[in-house]
């Protein structure tokens, strides 16, 4: 009797061990396949940049790296694509992005070879000391902007020195400096750490100023508040002139985007946005930058936009260009914008 109990116990233990092994192998397999998929998507995203418009087989590669669309696309449908896989845990280099985007010219300029674009877009990135983010931004955005068949150039406006950061003043500088290069009629202002998830979110201008980062992951893919205008936006030359550009006196973090929103409203415009689905974007997580502490004056300033906007903006902008460099994937303009 005792022997049969022992046997029964041993038999059950063996069964449990075998079952656990099977579970372990299955879990390992699932993770292995998922990591292969990720690498595959990474390689394909890299390759997709050169496929600007008509090459169906290249387009198919782009399609494969998407999350949702599974069937073979036809050329017409490809004009509007869809959700992209955006990850920030894979190594990305400027060199790889350059190789993957052979049609992007010096300074980060591109124009579609087979159509006449309706707008010339200058993309302005306010910047200081965020090379890691810039690598991801270029890696993801160059292919997207080409697929959107835009005539565009990337301008990185780099604040020199160790003074307090001033995002809105850098945007003003970007606008003025870009116009010295070409007659752009549309300006996209993008934080360096924001990547659209859906490339139907076209980085161009509309009949009203457009808030492109309408559904950020860090806010649960919703607006944090209705008037939010931070992150990525686009405005035509006329719209920018109508509001006298951006405020120059928001030093440090916060409020400058609210001031810009006020300017638009006080000038009789409203903010247009893509849908919450198409406006989805991811932010590269990071800690608050040094020299960009909260601006304690921001609440007072946004309460007075109506009085200040005609005096403070493009018409009062002063700065010095320290250096202008034409890199393969972007134009960098280093500027001395002074101090508060
Ligand atoms: N920026 C720089 N360098 C800086 C500061 C800002 O390049 O030192 C640029 C960059 O393009 C950035 C944008 O200005 O995306 C806006 O900066 P921000 O600090 O206002 O906004 P961001 O989305 O960070 O980068 C939000 C605050 C994160 C704090 C998180 C604390 N938990
Ligand atoms: C508001 C800020 C905006 C800022 C937004 C989101 O409170 O400048 O938060 O910030 N306005 C004021 O402080 C008056 S975020 O979480 O993206 O850093 O854009």
């Amino acid at each position: 009797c005792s022997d049969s109990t022992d046997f029964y116990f041993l038999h059950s233990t063996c069964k449990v061990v075998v079952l656990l092994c099977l579970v372990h192998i299955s879990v390992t397999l699932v993770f292995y396949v998922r990591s292969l998929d990720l690498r595959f998507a990474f390689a394909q995203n890299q390759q997709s940049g050169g496929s600007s418009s008509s090459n169906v087989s290249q387009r198919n590669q782009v399609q494969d790296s998407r999350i949702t669309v599974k069937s073979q696309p036809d050329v017409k449908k490809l004009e509007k694509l869809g959700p992209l896989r955006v990850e920030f845990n894979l190594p990305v280099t400027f060199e790889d992005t350059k190789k993957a985007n052979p049609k992007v010219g010096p300074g980060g300029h591109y124009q579609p070879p087979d159509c006449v674009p309706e707008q010339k877009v200058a993309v302005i990135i306010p910047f200081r000391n965020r090379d890691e983010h810039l690598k991801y931004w270029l890696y993801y955005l160059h292919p997207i902007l080409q697929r959107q068949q835009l005539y565009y150039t990337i301008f990185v406006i780099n604040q020199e020195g160790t003074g307090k950061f001033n995002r809105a003043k850098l945007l003003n500088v970007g606008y003025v400096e870009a116009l010295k290069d070409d007659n752009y009629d549309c300006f996209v202002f993008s934080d360096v750490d924001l990547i659209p998830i859906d490339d139907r979110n076209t980085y161009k201008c509309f009949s009203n100023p457009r808030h492109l980062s309408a559904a950020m992951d860090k806010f649960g893919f919703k607006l944090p508040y209705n008037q939010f205008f931070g992150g990525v936006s686009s405005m035509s030359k006329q719209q920018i002139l109508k509001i006298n550009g951006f405020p120059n006196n928001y030093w440090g973090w916060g409020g400058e985007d609210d001031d810009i929103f006020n300017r638009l409203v006080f000038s009789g415009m409203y903010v247009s946005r893509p849908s919450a689905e198409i406006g989805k974007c991811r932010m590269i997580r990071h800690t608050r930058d040094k020299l960009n502490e909260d601006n304690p004056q921001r609440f007072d300033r946004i309460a007075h936009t109506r009085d200040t906007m005609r005096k403070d903006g493009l018409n009062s902008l002063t700065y010095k260009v320290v250096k202008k460099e034409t890199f393969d994937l972007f134009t960098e303009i280093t500027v001395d914008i002074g101090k508060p």
Side-chain angles (χ1 to χ4, degrees):
C1 178
S2 119
D3 271 1
S4 80
T5 313
D6 281 354
F7 175 76
Y8 178 74
F9 178 71
L10 202 64
H11 185 71
S12 307
T13 311
C14 283
K15 265 169 74 185
V16 170
V17 169
V18 168
L19 208 71
L20 280 175
C21 284
L22 278 173
V23 169
H24 179 78
I25 289 167
S26 320
V27 169
T28 311
L29 259 172
V30 166
F31 275 94
Y32 178 67
V33 169
R34 281 185 59 176
S35 85
L36 277 183
D37 185 34
L38 207 64
R39 275 162 210 289
F40 185 60
F42 176 70
Q44 292 207 326
N45 267 345
Q46 283 282 22
Q47 288 162 13
S48 68
S51 66
S52 67
S53 53
S54 55
N55 185 321
V56 176
S57 74
Q58 284 179 326
R59 290 285 204 167
N60 288 348
Q61 288 179 340
V62 178
Q63 199 76 6
D64 285 344
S65 70
R66 274 147 218 289
I67 300 166
T68 53
V69 187
K70 289 187 184 96
S71 61
Q72 281 292 314
D74 66 52
V75 178
K76 271 237 167 64
K77 276 188 195 139
L78 284 167
E79 280 162 18
K80 287 212 187 296
L81 294 168
L84 302 161
R85 187 192 293 269
V86 174
E87 312 272 349
F88 303 120
N89 54 2
L90 291 157
V92 163
T93 65
F94 288 121
E95 291 70 30
D96 291 343
T97 303
K98 171 63 195 154
K99 273 189 218 141
N101 294 277
K103 293 180 183 162
V104 172
H109 176 68
Y110 174 80
Q111 55 192 90
D114 45 14
C115 66
V116 180
E118 52 173 20
Q119 298 176 4
K120 288 185 172 183
V121 182
V123 183
I124 313 288
I125 302 178
F127 186 86
R128 183 165 67 187
N129 197 22
R130 294 269 197 108
D131 273 358
E132 276 314 301
H133 295 182
L134 184 60
K135 278 182 204 164
Y136 280 110
W137 193 96
L138 296 163
Y139 163 73
Y140 281 114
L141 264 297
H142 269 303
I144 291 175
L145 299 174
Q146 288 170 81
R147 286 200 294 278
Q148 293 180 347
Q149 302 199 316
L150 299 172
Y151 176 114
Y152 71 87
T153 308
I154 310 300
F155 294 93
V156 172
I157 313 298
N158 179 33
Q159 180 172 339
E160 193 209 37
T162 52
K164 275 242 169 102
F165 194 71
N166 187 331
R167 177 175 177 269
K169 189 165 183 182
L170 293 171
L171 303 185
N172 273 337
V173 173
Y175 168 82
V176 172
E177 287 300 314
L179 281 175
K180 291 180 183 169
D181 260 23
D182 201 346
N183 60 338
Y184 295 103
D185 33 41
C186 173
F187 297 80
V188 170
F189 302 99
S190 175
D191 283 0
V192 72
D193 52 10
L194 276 173
I195 313 294
I197 292 180
D198 193 310
D199 55 9
R200 288 172 294 178
N201 191 1
T202 314
Y203 274 34
K204 65 171 191 172
C205 289
F206 294 78
S207 52
N208 270 284
R210 184 126 166 135
H211 184 223
L212 296 158
S213 51
M216 288 164 58
D217 58 346
K218 74 166 171 177
F219 299 128
F221 296 110
K222 288 191 299 214
L223 287 173
Y225 51 97
N226 278 343
Q227 298 81 357
F228 181 54
F229 199 61
V232 191
S233 56
S234 73
M235 291 172 72
S236 70
K237 191 177 169 186
Q238 288 74 16
Q239 290 160 0
I240 293 171
L241 290 173
K242 210 167 171 184
I243 63 167
N244 188 23
F246 309 120
N248 293 305
N249 61 356
Y250 282 73
W251 300 90
W253 181 87
E256 83 295 340
D257 48 349
D258 304 306
D259 189 293
I260 298 167
F261 179 87
N262 288 346
R263 286 174 181 237
L264 305 176
V265 173
F266 294 144
S267 307
M269 294 185 279
Y270 66 86
V271 169
S272 87
R273 289 195 174 96
S275 69
E277 188 56 34
I278 289 178
K280 278 186 178 174
C281 55
R282 272 194 205 294
M283 195 186 99
I284 308 172
R285 295 298 166 126
H286 62 92
T287 53
R288 179 70 62 83
D289 302 272
K290 289 192 187 94
L291 305 168
N292 196 24
E293 293 83 17
D294 292 5
N295 172 9
Q297 295 166 334
R298 65 192 189 282
F299 299 107
D300 185 51
R301 293 222 194 284
I302 56 176
H304 294 98
T305 309
R306 198 194 282 273
D307 312 322
T308 54
M309 62 181 283
R310 295 290 151 215
K311 294 171 251 167
D312 175 31
L314 283 175
N315 63 357
S316 62
L317 176 66
T318 56
Y319 65 94
K320 256 194 237 129
V321 171
V322 176
K323 205 168 24 167
K324 181 168 176 178
E325 292 162 287
T326 304
F327 294 111
D328 285 337
L329 297 166
F330 61 99
T331 300
E332 180 164 324
I333 302 176
T334 302
V335 280
D336 176 358
I337 56 169
K339 291 193 176 81

